[in-house]
């Protein structure tokens, strides 16, 4: 670890989901709480201000329309319909009456402050003249206050409205909103943790399984695949992947074992012949020629076997690009090449219809070539031509088959001739690696098809494959 860097344990997916859920809930709750509180506080404050402004306005209109004196506001009317009652009843305001010089005639409860501005209004000649303040503090409480002149220097009426109790109420509402928001966030975090646990439990089991596979190399571990959602699909895909890896490793193991078995024979023969080379001067000319011929034959067979093994091991991992391949033309190319190499007569029968598929041309040519070489190897008489038949398959794709007049196929061989290194009893003395037809099977499978073999009427064999195209399965 580089100097100065400290390790930090990564947070689990469950923790991330729980924190994310709580964070989203906190954001939504804070937004809703703020908007709700702001709207409620605004409505309350605006409503109170509107009531006070209306009270002041009504008082100004009243003193402008009626010639009122301070005595009209001193004592409340017994029927509660006097000027003072009109001020206190609907608005809940405090009223204080000032005389001509600004002296207090009737003290309010609590007593309202009288400053120079209030005394000036009390001595005003015009009725309805007023002064207003919104920052009056009385006994630690906040008030808004207005002083309205009665006119003619007769005095003034002071009205005040307390708003500190409203602010206290709003602060309490704010505190409760914060407590509610905190409770919602806590509940959301707990719920998010529970939900994340339910969601990630299968992922955690799947991750544990992957770690077991990575640490032990075992591919037979049971994979949790429950559920039809994405996690279930991931589990099933992982299970199929392990199955394919297990089969691939088994195929690799079998290939190595079979290759070792098949390589043992030519290598043993080569060692024997090489040991005879030390005494080649003692051998007669005919024995020398036979020894050299055996060495050449064994080296060719060993080379062919190694090449077949390399091709088989590469198999489906071929990097050749996929293009449109006309199998009828591929068959013509293979026939021309076989005629030149072996001198045998090879004919091609291409049926009407489309014989083009999306595939890898070199692999397909190799598959057809292996079939033709197999037919030429077994049909040693060479009295009749080898036929290559290409036609559209009944279920889609293309069907390729090679027909010969060789010894044919035994019933026991029909199901096994495409196995690796399998050699029929009639082929034990013939050259070959036993891999040619297995490569045909691999190529057909890589192109969405299958190989087939049957006996030919009148003698011989029919061996071929069907293909649909790369990616058709």
């Amino acid at each position: 670890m580089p100097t100065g860097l400290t390790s930090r344990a990564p947070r689990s997916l469950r923790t991330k989901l729980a924190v994310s859920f709580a964070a989203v809930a906190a954001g939504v709750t804070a937004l809703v709480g703020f908007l709700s509180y702001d709207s409620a506080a605004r409505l309350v404050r605006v409503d109170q201000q509107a009531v006070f402004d209306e009270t002041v306005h009504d008082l100004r209109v009243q003193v402008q329309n009626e010639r009122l004196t301070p005595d009209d506001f001193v004592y409340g009317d017994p029927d509660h319909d006097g000027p003072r009652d009109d001020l206190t009843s609907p608005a809940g305001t405090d009223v204080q009456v000032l005389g001509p010089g600004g002296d207090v005639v009737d003290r309010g409860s609590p007593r309202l402050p009288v400053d120079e501005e209030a005394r000036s209004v009390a001595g005003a000649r015009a009725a309805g003249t007023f002064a207003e303040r919104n920052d009056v503090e009385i006994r630690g409480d906040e008030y808004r206050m207005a002083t309205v002149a009665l006119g003619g220097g007769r005095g003034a009426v002071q009205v005040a409205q307390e708003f500190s109790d409203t602010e206290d109420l709003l602060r309490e509402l704010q505190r409760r909103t914060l407590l509610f928001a905190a409770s919602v966030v806590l509940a959301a975090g707990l719920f998010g943790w529970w939900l994340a646990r339910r969601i990630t439990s299968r992922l955690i089991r799947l991750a544990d399984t992957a770690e077991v596979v990575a640490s032990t190399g075992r591919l037979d571990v049971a994979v949790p695949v429950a559920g039809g959602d994405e996690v279930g699909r991931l589990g099933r895909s992982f299970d199929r992947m392990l199955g394919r890896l297990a089969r691939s490793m088994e195929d690799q193991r079998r290939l190595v074992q079979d290759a070792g078995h098949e390589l043992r024979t030519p290598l043993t023969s080569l060692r024997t012949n090489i040991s005879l080379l030390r005494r080649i001067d003692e051998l007669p000319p005919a024995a020398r020629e036979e020894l050299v011929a055996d060495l050449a034959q064994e080296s060719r067979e060993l080379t062919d076997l190694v090449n077949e093994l390399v091709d088989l091991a590469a198999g489906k991992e071929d990097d050749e690009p996929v293009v449109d391949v006309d199998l009828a033309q591929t068959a013509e190319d293979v026939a021309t090449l076989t005629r030149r190499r072996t001198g045998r007569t090879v004919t091609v029968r291409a049926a009407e219809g489309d014989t083009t598929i999306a595939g890898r041309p070199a692999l397909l040519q190799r598959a057809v070539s292996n079939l033709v070489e197999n037919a030429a190897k077994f049909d040693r008489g060479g009295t009749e031509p080898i036929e290559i038949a290409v036609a559209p398959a009944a279920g889609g794709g293309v069907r390729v088959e090679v027909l010969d007049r060789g010894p044919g196929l035994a019933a026991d061989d029909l199901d096994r001739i495409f196995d690796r290194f399998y050699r029929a009893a009639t082929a034990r003395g013939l050259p070959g690696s036993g891999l040619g037809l297995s490569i045909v099977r691999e190529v057909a499978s890589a192109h969405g098809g299958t190989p087939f073999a049957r006996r030919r009427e009148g003698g011989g064999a029919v061996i071929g494959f069907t293909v649909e195209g790369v990616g058709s399965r």
Side-chain angles (χ1 to χ4, degrees), residues 12-45:
S12 66
L13 180 60
R14 180 182 301 175
T15 303
K16 292 180 181 179
L17 286 175
V19 171
S20 300
F21 197 88
V24 171
V28 173
T29 304
L31 180 61
V32 172
F34 171 77
L35 293 178
S36 300
Y37 170 78
D38 183 69
S39 299
R42 187 184 302 272
L43 287 174
V44 171
R45 290 179 178 131

Side-chain angles (χ1 to χ4, degrees), residues 187-218:
L190 294 176
F191 179 75
W193 178 264
W194 173 81
L195 185 62
R197 182 175 182 180
R198 285 181 58 87
I199 293 174
T200 61
S201 57
R202 288 179 296 157
L203 279 176
I204 292 174
R205 291 198 298 269
L206 193 59
D208 292 340
T209 302
E211 290 177 356
V212 170
V213 172
S215 60
T216 64
R218 293 176 51 199

Side-chain angles (χ1 to χ4, degrees), residues 326-345:
D326 185 356
L327 286 175
Q329 183 60 48
T330 300
E332 290 286 358
D333 295 340
V334 171
T336 301
L337 183 62
T338 304
R339 294 187 198 108
R340 185 171 63 248
R341 286 179 176 177
T342 65
R344 294 289 302 270
T345 301

Side-chain angles (χ1 to χ4, degrees), residues 4 34 46 111 134 149-150 169 179 222 274 277 288 314 353 374 438 451:
F34 171 77
V46 169
R111 181 169 181 166
N134 291 318
L150 296 175
L169 177 63
L179 289 176
I274 289 173
L277 287 175
R288 294 179 186 178
N374 184 75
S438 66

Side-chain angles (χ1 to χ4, degrees), residues 37 40-49 141-142 144 161-174:
Y37 170 78
R42 187 184 302 272
L43 287 174
V44 171
R45 290 179 178 131
V46 169
D47 182 67
Q48 278 200 330
Q49 183 68 51
D141 295 325
E142 299 292 331
R144 57 174 60 91
Q161 181 188 59
E162 183 184 357
F163 61 84
S164 59
D165 55 347
T166 302
E167 294 299 323
D168 292 340
L169 177 63
L170 291 178
R171 280 192 290 271
E172 178 64 19
L173 177 62
Q174 185 182 49

Side-chain angles (χ1 to χ4, degrees), residues 158-424:
Q158 290 181 306
V159 291
Q161 181 188 59
E162 183 184 357
F163 61 84
S164 59
D165 55 347
T166 302
E167 294 299 323
D168 292 340
L169 177 63
L170 291 178
R171 280 192 290 271
E172 178 64 19
L173 177 62
Q174 185 182 49
R175 186 182 67 84
R176 294 191 179 187
T177 302
L178 291 175
L179 289 176
F180 175 75
S183 301
V184 170
V185 171
L186 179 60
L190 294 176
F191 179 75
W193 178 264
W194 173 81
L195 185 62
R197 182 175 182 180
R198 285 181 58 87
I199 293 174
T200 61
S201 57
R202 288 179 296 157
L203 279 176
I204 292 174
R205 291 198 298 269
L206 193 59
D208 292 340
T209 302
E211 290 177 356
V212 170
V213 172
S215 60
T216 64
R218 293 176 51 199
L219 300 177
D220 57 347
V221 180
V223 179
V225 295
D229 54 5
E230 288 79 0
V231 179
R233 288 169 52 196
L234 177 62
R236 285 187 288 274
S237 299
F238 187 62
D239 187 51
R240 288 193 295 269
M241 181 186 68
L242 289 182
R244 294 187 64 177
L245 283 175
R247 289 191 296 272
S248 177
M249 291 186 66
E250 177 63 20
D251 291 343
Q252 183 182 24
R253 185 186 63 81
R254 287 178 49 237
L255 177 62
V256 172
Q257 290 178 346
D258 294 343
H261 175 75
E262 292 297 323
L263 288 169
R264 190 175 296 115
T265 299
L267 288 175
T268 300
S269 178
L270 281 173
R271 283 199 301 268
T272 301
N273 289 330
I274 289 173
S275 65
L276 291 175
L277 287 175
R278 298 175 181 175
R279 298 186 295 111
I280 192 170
D281 294 336
E282 303 174 7
L283 299 177
R288 294 179 186 178
E289 293 180 2
E290 183 178 359
L291 176 61
V292 173
D294 286 345
L295 284 172
Q297 178 65 26
E298 293 292 345
S299 63
R300 282 195 299 271
E301 288 194 15
L302 184 60
T303 301
D304 291 341
L305 178 58
V306 171
N307 290 335
E308 298 282 6
L309 284 173
V310 171
D311 291 340
L312 190 61
K316 298 179 182 178
E317 302 300 326
D318 197 283
D319 293 331
E320 185 182 11
V322 176
V323 298
D324 290 337
V325 181
D326 185 356
L327 286 175
Q329 183 60 48
T330 300
E332 290 286 358
D333 295 340
V334 171
T336 301
L337 183 62
T338 304
R339 294 187 198 108
R340 185 171 63 248
R341 286 179 176 177
T342 65
R344 294 289 302 270
T345 301
V346 182
T347 63
V348 178
R349 289 189 290 109
E352 294 183 359
D354 187 13
T355 58
T356 301
I357 66 164
R360 296 185 170 93
L363 284 181
L364 291 169
Q365 183 171 350
R366 179 62 181 277
V368 178
S369 178
N370 283 4
L371 292 177
V372 175
E373 290 176 3
N374 184 75
K377 180 174 65 176
F378 283 93
D379 188 6
R380 286 172 287 179
T383 57
E384 293 191 33
I386 298 173
E387 299 179 24
I388 307 176
V390 183
V398 181
R399 180 183 182 91
V400 180
E401 55 186 27
V402 175
L403 304 87
D404 63 62
R405 289 298 182 185
L409 296 170
D412 294 339
D413 296 334
L414 290 176
D415 296 332
R416 301 186 60 191
I417 61 172
F418 295 101
D419 293 342
R420 294 173 183 171
F421 302 109
Y422 178 76
R423 307 199 47 161

